[in-house]
Amino acid sequence: MKQEIMAVCDLEEAYAFRMAEYITQKASLPYTLHLFTKTAELENFIQENGISVLLIGESATGQLKEKPDVPNIFVLWEGGSKRENDFRYIDKYQKPEAVIREVAEQMTEVKGWDEDWLESRTGQKSKLRAVGVYSPVRRCLQTSFALTMGQLLAKEHKTLYLNFECFSGLDRLLNKNFQTDMMDVLYYYKCARDKLAIRLPTMVQTVNGLDFIPPGQSGLDMRSITGEQWLELLRAIEKTSDYEFLILDLTDGMCGLFELLSYCSKIYTITKDDGFAMAKIQQYEQVLQANELHEIADKTVKCRFPVFERLPSDLDMMTHGELAGYVRAIIREDLYEEETG
């Protein structure tokens, strides 16, 4: 199926290129994208090609000779007082993901838009590998390990990180107020399943190249989701996205821990040498054995960290330092070895 065309036109080159970069690398919209920084070039292109969606700066609209023959026009509002009734306006001075989220919200009401998107993906075989990180031992650097692995993998593969802690603190660590989180993703899956593939890219955040969906802000909400519901969502993400690796940072404070561990192709469990840690690991392994969860045990790699003299203080620096060197070796010698072996 031939994809339709979306055009971005803005007189500010830096803004136009930043928006185009976000659309092509993150948004995964069902269009072939064309970028313009001069209205004359846009008008010449429209005369010879059909455009389905146009995202255009307010200043650029003032230079148009006539209204473009485009069914869906979104004007990036720059604060002007005059508004044309034929255009839909979106605040230009916000993050690219917020702009595209508004476009997606309005475009999902266009008949056939989401069906066309899914049809364009039909036949694409998923290469997704789910990697679980879980340990019954507390304060063992589990999340640091998972984020480091995710950021390292993201340098060469499209990778998504999901944190299942009730109180992850990621918003504080990143100093961000997330507009959407995992509970919103679950809402769209439950109530508007056909829209999930389109909405998902607009809810994804990024840290040092690693995509992640912010965890639910309420611990009680996260605990209310069953293992089967989590599995259904992960399978939907696998079906409708082009991620190659999925890093699951799991906790026993959630429902469905064993279901998600079984879903993973590889599991990393961090251990320690002290008596409490060893007792917790032993009890965890006994539970696996008692419940005949042998596949989880078979897929598990135990990691006992050396003493790290210094750990990164910022989440966007996880690929540097001793921990990164340790995780890099695991990826090379274990994760990649299994893939090629």
Side-chain angles (χ1 to χ4, degrees):
M1 184 188 73
K2 183 179 179 181
Q3 280 194 324
E4 296 181 343
I5 295 174
M6 176 179 185
V8 173
C9 179
D10 197 276
L11 304 182
E12 297 181 46
E13 290 190 4
Y15 180 92
F17 282 111
R18 186 168 67 253
M19 180 62 68
E21 182 181 36
Y22 175 80
I23 293 173
T24 55
Q25 295 185 7
K26 299 295 183 182
S28 301
L29 295 177
Y31 298 102
T32 298
L33 182 68
H34 288 261
L35 174 64
F36 302 92
T37 57
K38 294 181 174 59
T39 54
E41 295 176 353
L42 171 66
E43 290 174 316
N44 291 335
F45 183 86
I46 292 176
Q47 290 178 2
E48 300 179 1
N49 303 272
I51 293 179
S52 299
V53 180
L54 172 61
L55 190 62
I56 183 170
E58 184 180 17
S59 298
T61 61
Q63 296 185 5
L64 294 172
K65 297 178 181 178
E66 58 183 17
K67 180 187 175 184
D69 184 17
V70 177
N72 300 287
I73 301 176
F74 297 89
V75 176
L76 295 164
W77 184 59
E78 299 166 356
S81 58
K82 183 180 179 181
R83 292 198 179 198
E84 301 290 341
N85 293 331
D86 294 338
F87 297 149
R88 284 172 282 188
Y89 287 79
I90 296 175
D91 185 4
K92 176 178 178 178
Y93 300 111
Q94 56 182 328
K95 294 181 179 180
E97 53 263 37
V99 172
I100 298 305
R101 185 184 302 119
E102 290 191 44
V103 172
E105 286 175 353
Q106 296 193 49
M107 287 303 298
T108 51
E109 304 306 320
V110 177
K111 184 177 180 181
W113 192 76
D114 46 352
E115 289 85 354
D116 289 345
W117 192 94
L118 291 173
E119 184 180 346
S120 71
R121 299 189 63 85
T122 300
Q124 292 186 9
K125 187 176 180 181
S126 174
K127 299 179 181 179
L128 182 68
R129 293 187 64 197
V131 179
V133 183
Y134 168 74
S135 176
V137 180
R138 294 293 167 263
R139 299 195 63 81
C140 62
L141 299 179
Q142 175 179 310
T143 294
S144 296
F145 175 90
L147 284 168
T148 300
M149 175 171 283
Q151 290 187 21
L152 288 171
L153 287 171
K155 291 181 178 296
E156 299 182 17
H157 308 276
K158 191 167 184 183
T159 304
L160 178 66
Y161 167 83
L162 300 180
N163 184 298
F164 290 84
E165 293 179 282
C166 291
F167 306 103
S168 69
L170 286 179
D171 54 343
R172 272 72 173 177
L173 290 170
L174 292 170
N175 195 28
K176 287 185 177 182
N177 292 319
F178 300 124
Q179 299 300 313
T180 57
D181 58 32
M182 193 92 79
M183 301 309 297
D184 295 294
V185 177
L186 280 162
Y187 169 80
Y188 282 116
Y189 178 71
K190 290 178 182 178
C191 303
R193 190 166 303 185
D194 56 337
K195 313 292 186 187
L196 176 65
I198 301 163
R199 300 293 183 111
L200 181 64
T202 68
M203 293 186 275
V204 168
Q205 303 289 324
T206 303
V207 54
N208 196 24
L210 173 64
D211 285 358
F212 70 96
I213 299 173
Q217 294 301 299
S218 171
L220 294 178
D221 288 343
M222 291 284 284
R223 287 180 176 179
S224 68
I225 309 303
T226 67
E228 185 56 35
Q229 288 173 321
W230 285 126
L231 286 176
E232 288 179 358
L233 177 62
L234 295 184
R235 290 177 184 132
I237 292 174
E238 179 177 359
K239 181 180 178 182
T240 59
S241 73
D242 55 357
Y243 287 108
E244 297 175 74
F245 282 96
L246 177 63
I247 307 296
L248 304 181
D249 191 352
L250 302 168
T251 172
D252 45 29
M254 60 179 290
C255 292
L257 171 63
F258 292 144
E259 287 96 322
L260 291 187
L261 287 172
S262 297
Y263 172 76
C264 296
S265 61
K266 179 73 74 172
I267 301 162
Y268 293 96
T269 294
I270 302 168
T271 67
K272 289 183 177 181
D273 290 329
D274 66 88
F276 284 107
M278 295 175 67
K280 289 175 181 288
I281 293 292
Q282 185 178 24
Q283 183 179 358
Y284 165 63
E285 292 176 336
Q286 288 175 344
V287 170
L288 293 181
Q289 184 176 4
N291 289 276
E292 298 184 349
L293 297 171
H294 308 298
E295 61 171 337
I296 293 178
D298 293 340
K299 293 185 290 188
T300 296
V301 175
K302 293 181 183 178
C303 301
R304 182 176 286 106
F305 294 155
V307 177
F308 298 123
E309 294 184 4
R310 187 174 182 180
L311 293 170
S313 57
D314 298 322
L315 295 188
D316 58 358
M317 293 295 290
M318 303 301 292
T319 56
H320 302 276
E322 298 172 282
L323 178 59
Y326 181 92
V327 177
R328 191 176 287 109
I330 288 178
I331 293 174
R332 182 177 62 251
E333 299 171 10
D334 180 64
L335 201 57
Y336 284 171
E337 181 66 24
E338 182 199 42
E339 191 174 37
T340 58

